[in-house]
């Protein structure tokens, strides 16, 4: 009896949700009739809880529609197991191309190889895959090393002649963040090389998970261990905002300057309010756009740049005050 | 009965119907599974584009209709085994009719463009293009100006394609394997939260030992087997640890396995980061990335297949049969049910309760370890972050499969069905295009519903018993 009821509940739920799916499908069918759809592009995003990847997904969907393609977006939820399952699902449903933000640059290898064997081109955006023996048709991402250099410059600017102790909130799992930190360290080293006072010392590198709550916890510990801290470099906006909250609670918000990364909406808003000093900003919309354009070029047999890195730009408070997309309240 | 002679058909129908209802009641999880498959099929009813030998022969016939001999035909397919077989069938059909082949492309859209340029330079021409639906959308094919012939499409549920069905089971084989072990634990009224972490620990230990002790890329199959066994043994040892806490020290299973969950995850991360640090020659900090195993044979268990069936599925089926026999045909199986039903009564009737609990947690750990080996093999490396939140999916599979969290009630076959129900829901929702946010809602609600019904079960059962008593006391006419 119990199993009976469980089953009924499962079926009922499935129906309800199946309804949602059905809605999405009608849209696709309309597309097929309207623009004579050339096929489907499967996109497995790193995590859709981060607005950055949502923007990539949305821009891709929009741009692909203009070229007669439909985009199916799956959320890998930072889990490479889920991501490779999604690749298998794409292959089973016969997509024309696959786009990934590789969750694990090595462990995604076997899944990419299966796509290669099935003759389906794989494109990466934002993060690159480095597994052996896999063929990536094209990559569009941020020039993270250059972004790291800019973050270092912003930190030097923020601390001024006084210099001081700096902490890094890292997310080592992502290679993009490793490059950012490499660039940041390089810029700081160069600055220190010709001075004896006013030096900037990187005193710690903590794991901030690239998330608001983990960044908050790491910073709360960091400020205890390093009470004289003058600056923080967080490898993305969520962890920068988490750090800000921790510093406010510790009463050190005025003492410690924060440099973030990304330039997503919440981050830019915080820059406007002076809570974050500056961000090297990335362009997820351009990533989505160029990825789709690369796919179209590939399918049209045209040549295109196999690896395209978009440079970042430094975004400070003055930029935020002119930014029309921000809420211009008091 | 006189009624039957008066209306024999209706009577037989009624008996058949009640028989079906009875069967459905006893095997409802199977019915639910079939129903879910049906819904998934309906939701994924799509255009399918065949790339087979038969489709190739049909294309050849159609080309000859469109453009009679002599007709210069360009064959365009991708560079895959399936595509090549399809292309070979087209060429056989054309050769039989004596149609010349202007050229063939086994590759990418770019190769098609280059082939056209080559033909143009050589002064040749293309009168027709024979290809499949996917390549017929490639730019150079569309803009060629020659008629394009591709096999006609037909409608069929994507869910019900062989490739997808194998995907569904293969993707969830690890969950199902752990769920077998979890069933034993839940039958003793326990719970094991550490399975996801033990999975990661086993995978990382297998990968690190394969790389550092057994020869890395040059590791022999025996060395790889030893590495895998070490991983499974470590996970079993972990299970033994939580079993000891539960059986000997009466620590609530929830707390004992929660502790082990964090401990094992930490160990997996430490081992992986330590290995990465040794890889780059010390000094620099390691990253918690997958520990790559160089030996190609390591991927056999996770990515290999026999007779077209992926190895993880075969392992799952083997373990399922073993666990089923263990629980239905052996003294140990009866002991497990006895301990879960009433531990005090079991103790008094001579069941070695402590030993049974130790064995159950140890087995659960070993099953998690096996799943970890499958995972590591699948990704060609041990992932310290593998199996996060697996415990929830596994417990959901067991509970949906009909086991009671109160212990003593549940079957291995039910668990297998439960795991498949979860797999089908997940896959069905995925290919029907339901966003991941909604999927989380379904799973949460499904677990709540199953547990709630588990709670309501005694009430429903007693009401049913009252009703049955009531009906037997009234005289039957």
């Amino acid at each position: 009896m119990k199993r009976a009821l469980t089953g009924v509940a499962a079926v009922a739920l499935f129906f309800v949700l199946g309804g949602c799916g059905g809605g999405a499908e009608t849209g696709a069918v309309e597309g097929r009739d309207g623009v004579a759809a050339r096929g489907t592009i499967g996109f497995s995003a790193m995590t859709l809880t981060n607005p950055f990847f949502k923007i990539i997904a949305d821009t891709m969907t929009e741009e692909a529609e203009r070229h007669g393609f439909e985009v199916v977006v799956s959320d890998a939820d930072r889990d490479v197991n889920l991501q490779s399952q999604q690749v298998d699902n794409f292959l089973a449903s016969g997509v024309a191309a696959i786009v990934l933000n590789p969750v694990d640059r090595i462990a995604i290898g076997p899944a990419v190889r299966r796509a290669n064997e099935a003759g389906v081109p794989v494109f990466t955006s934002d993060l690159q895959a480095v597994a052996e023996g896999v063929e990536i048709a094209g990559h569009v991402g941020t020039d993270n090393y250059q972004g790291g250099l800019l973050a270092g410059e912003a930190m030097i600017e923020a601390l001024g002649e006084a210099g001081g102790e700096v902490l890094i909130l890292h997310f080592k799992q992502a290679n993009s963040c490793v490059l950012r930190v490499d660039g940041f360290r390089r810029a700081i080293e160069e600055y220190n090389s010709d001075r004896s006072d006013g030096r900037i010392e990187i005193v710690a590198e903590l794991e901030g998970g690239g998330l608001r709550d983990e960044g908050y916890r790491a910073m709360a510990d960091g400020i205890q261990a390093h009470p004289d801290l003058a600056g923080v470099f967080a490898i993305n906006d969520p962890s920068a905002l988490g750090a800000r909250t921790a510093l406010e609670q510790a009463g050190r918000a005025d003492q410690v300057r924060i440099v973030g990364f990304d330039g997503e909406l919440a981050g830019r808003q915080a820059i406007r309010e002076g809570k974050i000093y500056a961000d090297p900003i990335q362009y997820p919309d351009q990533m989505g756009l160029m990825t789709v354009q690369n796919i179209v070029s590939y399918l049209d047999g045209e040549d295109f740049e196999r690896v395209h890195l978009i440079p970042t730009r430094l975004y400070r408070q003055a930029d935020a005050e002119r930014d029309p997309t921000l809420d211009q309240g008091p | 009965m006189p009624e039957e002679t008066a209306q024999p058909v209706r009577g037989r129908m009624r008996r058949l119907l009640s028989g079906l209802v009875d069967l459905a009641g006893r095997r409802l999880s199977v019915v639910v599974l079939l129903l879910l498959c049906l819904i998934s099929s309906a939701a994924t009813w799509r255009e399918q584009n065949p790339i087979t030998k038969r489709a190739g022969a049909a294309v050849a016939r159609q080309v000859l209709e469109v453009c009679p001999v002599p007709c210069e035909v360009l064959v365009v397919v991708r560079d895959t085994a399936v595509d090549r077989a399809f292309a070979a069938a087209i060429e056989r059909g054309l050769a039989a009719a004596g149609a010349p082949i202007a050229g063939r492309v086994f590759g990418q859209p770019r190769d098609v463009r280059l082939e056209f340029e080559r033909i143009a330079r050589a002064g040749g021409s293309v009168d027709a293009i024979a290809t499949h639906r996917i390549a017929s959308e490639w730019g150079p094919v569309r803009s060629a100006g020659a008629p394009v012939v591709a096999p006609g499409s037909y409608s069929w549920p994507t869910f019900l394609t062989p490739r997808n069905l194998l995907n569904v089971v293969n993707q969830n084989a690890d969950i199902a394997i752990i769920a077998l072990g979890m069933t034993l634990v839940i039958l003793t009224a326990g719970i094991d939260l550490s399975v996801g972490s033990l999975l990661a620990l086993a995978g990382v230990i297998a990968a690190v030992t394969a790389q550092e002790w057994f020869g890395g890329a040059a590791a022999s199959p025996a060395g790889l087997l030893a590495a895998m066994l070490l991983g499974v043994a470590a996970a079993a040892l972990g299970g033994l640890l939580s079993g000891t806490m539960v059986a000997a020290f009466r620590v609530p299973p929830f707390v004992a396995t929660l502790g082990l969950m964090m401990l094992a995850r930490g160990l997996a991360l430490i081992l992986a980061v330590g290995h990465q640090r040794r890889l780059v020659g010390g000094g620099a900090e390691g990253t918690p990335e997958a520990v790559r195993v160089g030996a190609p044979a390591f991927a056999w268990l996770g990515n290999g297949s026999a007779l077209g069936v992926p190895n993880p599925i075969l392992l799952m089926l083997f373990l399922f049969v073993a666990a089923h026999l263990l629980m239905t045909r052996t003294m140990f199986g009866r002991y497990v049910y006895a301990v879960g039903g009433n531990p005090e009564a079991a103790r008094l009737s001579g069941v070695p309760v402590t030993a049974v609990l130790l064995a159950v947690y140890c087995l659960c750990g070993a099953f998690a370890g096996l799943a970890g080996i499958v995972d590591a093999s699948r990704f060609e490396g041990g992932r310290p972050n593998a199996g996060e939140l697996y415990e929830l999916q596994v417990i959901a599979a067991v509970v949906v499969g009909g086991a009671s969290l109160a212990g003593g009630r549940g079957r291995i076959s039910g668990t297998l069905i439960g795991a498949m129900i979860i797999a089908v829901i997940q896959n069905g929702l995925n290919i029907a295009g339901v966003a991941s946010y909604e999927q989380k809602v379904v799973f949460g609600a499904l677990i709540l519903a199953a547990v709630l019904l588990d709670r309501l079960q005694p009430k429903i059962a007693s009401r049913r018993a009252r009703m049955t008593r009531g009906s037997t006391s009234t005289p039957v006419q």
Side-chain angles (χ1 to χ4, degrees), chain B residues 424-474:
Chain B
V424 170
I425 292 181
Q426 202 169 6
N427 180 268
L429 292 176
N430 266 337
I431 54 180
V434 176
S436 60
Y437 304 155
E438 279 92 348
Q439 294 194 14
K440 289 188 209 290
V441 174
V442 180
F443 278 113
L446 184 68
I447 295 169
L448 282 182
V451 177
L452 192 67
L453 290 163
D454 180 45
R455 288 277 120 198
L456 291 176
Q457 160 81 18
K459 283 186 197 165
I460 296 167
S462 67
R463 191 179 307 156
R464 204 189 199 183
R466 268 204 309 280
M467 277 167 62
T468 332
R469 265 199 307 280
S471 65
T472 44
S473 61
T474 39

Side-chain angles (χ1 to χ4, degrees), chain A residues 123 137-140 290 294 297 302-309:
Chain A
F123 295 78
H139 172 79
V140 182
M290 295 187 65
N294 280 352
S297 298
E302 288 159 12
D303 294 316
F304 58 94
E305 213 180 337
R306 285 302 165 99
V307 175
H308 183 86
L309 298 181

